[in-house]
Amino acid sequence: MADDIDRTNDYLEKLLNSKIRGIRDKAQLEKGAEGECDLCGEWMLRIINGACAPCRDRYKLP
């Protein structure tokens, strides 16, 4: 028989899993392509929406 703690643990596990799924869905990035970064001008192997990885991190871009 499940008690309050078991029900709470089940609820928290479901909540955590749904939050993790949401974060993973938002984190999906397109493939990207080689090119010059629009922000820093460096040639990189992977440019997404005109920005390289260091610039996306620096300016908190997706």
Side-chain angles (χ1 to χ4, degrees):
M1 187 157 148
D3 62 0
D4 289 339
I5 293 173
D6 291 333
R7 285 189 293 274
T8 302
N9 284 337
D10 290 343
Y11 170 75
L12 290 175
E13 184 177 356
K14 288 177 186 177
L15 180 65
L16 178 63
N17 287 336
S18 83
K19 294 290 186 182
I20 290 172
R21 261 192 317 276
I23 291 169
R24 284 184 178 156
D25 290 343
K26 285 182 180 180
Q28 296 298 322
L29 292 177
E30 61 190 58
K31 185 178 178 184
E34 284 186 36
E36 187 175 308
C37 177
D38 293 341
L39 301 173
C40 68
E42 293 290 323
W43 183 264
M44 296 287 181
L45 294 175
R46 187 172 185 212
I47 300 292
I48 298 176
N49 295 329
C52 63
C55 286
R56 287 194 314 272
D57 290 344
R58 184 178 305 123
Y59 299 111
K60 299 182 180 2
L61 301 173

